[in-house]
Amino acid sequence: MAIEVTAQSRKLQGTGASRRLRNSGKVPGIVYGGKTDAVTIELDHNALFHALRNEKFHASILDLSVDGKKEQVLLRAVNMHPYKVQVQHVDFQRVSADQKIHMKVPLHFTNAEISPAVKLGGAMISHIMNDVEVRCLPAHLPEFIEVDLSGMEIGHSLHIRDLKLPTGVEVGLRGNENPAVATAQIPKAAIAEEEAAAAATAEAGAAAADVPAAKQKAEPAAAAGDKKDDKGGKK
C-alpha cells in the first residue's frame, strides 16, 4: 500500500515567503517531472518530519495529494537546517507507470550470525554498502533488497552481482563493475591477541627447553667436584 502525502499548492515564493512559511510550521517544496509543469507546494512540517524517519518513505512510490488531486511521485531531495531539527525544503518527482526510474534502495543484511565466518571463525562482517541504485518500472520498485550472508566465509566478499534481485529490477553497473557489498574478516584486535598468545607460548617452551640443558651442564661439574673431594680425603 502506497504512502499518502498531503500538500497544498503555494503561490508566494522567494526567501521571505519561505521563511514565513517555515515559521508557521510548514515546509516549502516542489513537484516536477512528467508532462506537466512544476508546481510549488507546502506541507505540514511535523507530519513530513515523522514520515522522513520511515525508511520506506525514501524508496517507495508515494501518493501525493495536492489540493485534493493525487499523483504518484518519488522523494528526490530533502534539505535540512544545518543545526536545527527542521526540514527546509523537499523535492518530489512525478513518475509514469510505463517509464523506468532510477532509485537508491536500502540493503537489508540477514543471517550473518549463522554464516561460517561468524559462527565457526569468529569473524566480523563489515557492510561496505548500505544502499544500491536500481532501475525498474515504478510497479517493480522494491522497498529494500535482502542480502543473505549465510554463506559468508572468512576472507571472502559478497558483491553486487551476487545479490538476488526482485523480478524486473536491474542494478546500475557499468561494464565489469562489481563492487563489494560486504566482507568477512577477523578483527585486528583478535589477531593481535592470538599472535601475543602464540609468542608467549613459544617463549615459555624455549625457557622450559633451557632448564634440562642447564641441569646437564651442572651435573658434570658437580661430579668433578665430588672426585676432587674423594682424592683429598685419601691424602
Side-chain angles (χ1 to χ4, degrees):
M1 184 176 178
I3 298 176
E4 295 186 359
V5 184
T6 302
Q8 295 79 39
S9 59
R10 63 184 175 96
K11 296 180 180 179
L12 297 178
Q13 299 184 40
T15 304
S18 295
R19 186 184 303 112
R20 290 190 293 272
L21 198 64
R22 297 186 187 103
N23 291 337
S24 67
K26 301 288 185 178
V27 180
I30 188 171
V31 185
Y32 63 88
K35 298 178 181 179
T36 56
D37 296 334
V39 176
T40 53
I41 58 174
E42 61 182 65
L43 306 91
D44 179 75
H45 180 273
N46 289 341
L48 177 62
F49 180 78
H50 287 293
L52 289 170
R53 298 175 67 181
N54 182 359
E55 181 186 68
K56 184 178 178 181
F57 192 79
H58 295 259
S60 298
I61 304 297
L62 309 173
D63 283 340
L64 177 65
S65 175
V66 180
D67 298 336
K69 182 180 178 181
K70 290 187 177 182
E71 53 188 341
Q72 291 193 318
V73 300
L74 289 171
L75 177 66
R76 280 306 190 190
V78 180
N79 294 333
M80 299 294 296
H81 193 280
Y83 57 88
K84 293 182 182 179
V85 184
Q86 184 184 55
V87 185
Q88 296 279 283
H89 194 276
V90 288
D91 293 3
F92 295 100
Q93 180 185 0
R94 299 184 184 95
V95 298
S96 300
D98 58 348
Q99 292 184 352
K100 289 188 175 183
I101 56 176
H102 292 262
M103 193 74 181
K104 281 191 175 182
V105 174
L107 299 175
H108 285 191
F109 297 88
T110 62
N111 299 324
E113 68 282 358
I114 64 173
S115 68
V118 175
K119 191 173 182 179
L120 303 179
M124 178 180 294
I125 296 182
S126 301
H127 302 168
I128 309 301
M129 301 174 66
N130 293 314
D131 54 43
V132 62
E133 185 171 331
V134 302
R135 181 173 179 267
C136 63
L137 292 172
H140 294 155
L141 181 65
E143 294 178 23
F144 60 86
I145 293 176
E146 184 175 313
V147 182
D148 184 5
L149 301 173
S150 61
M152 288 287 284
E153 298 184 0
I154 295 176
H156 289 200
S157 299
L158 191 70
H159 295 78
I160 283 186
R161 296 187 188 274
D162 299 325
L163 302 181
K164 293 182 179 180
L165 301 176
T167 302
V169 177
E170 305 171 353
V171 176
L173 296 176
R174 298 178 181 177
N176 296 324
E177 193 177 23
N178 190 23
V181 173
T183 60
Q185 301 290 339
I186 299 293
K188 291 183 178 179
I191 295 176
E193 289 180 3
E194 289 183 2
E195 291 178 346
T201 301
E203 185 176 348
D210 289 341
V211 172
K215 187 176 181 181
Q216 289 175 3
K217 291 179 180 180
E219 287 178 350
D226 291 341
K227 288 180 179 180
K228 288 181 180 179
D229 291 342
D230 291 342
K231 291 179 179 179
K234 289 178 180 179
K235 290 180 180 179

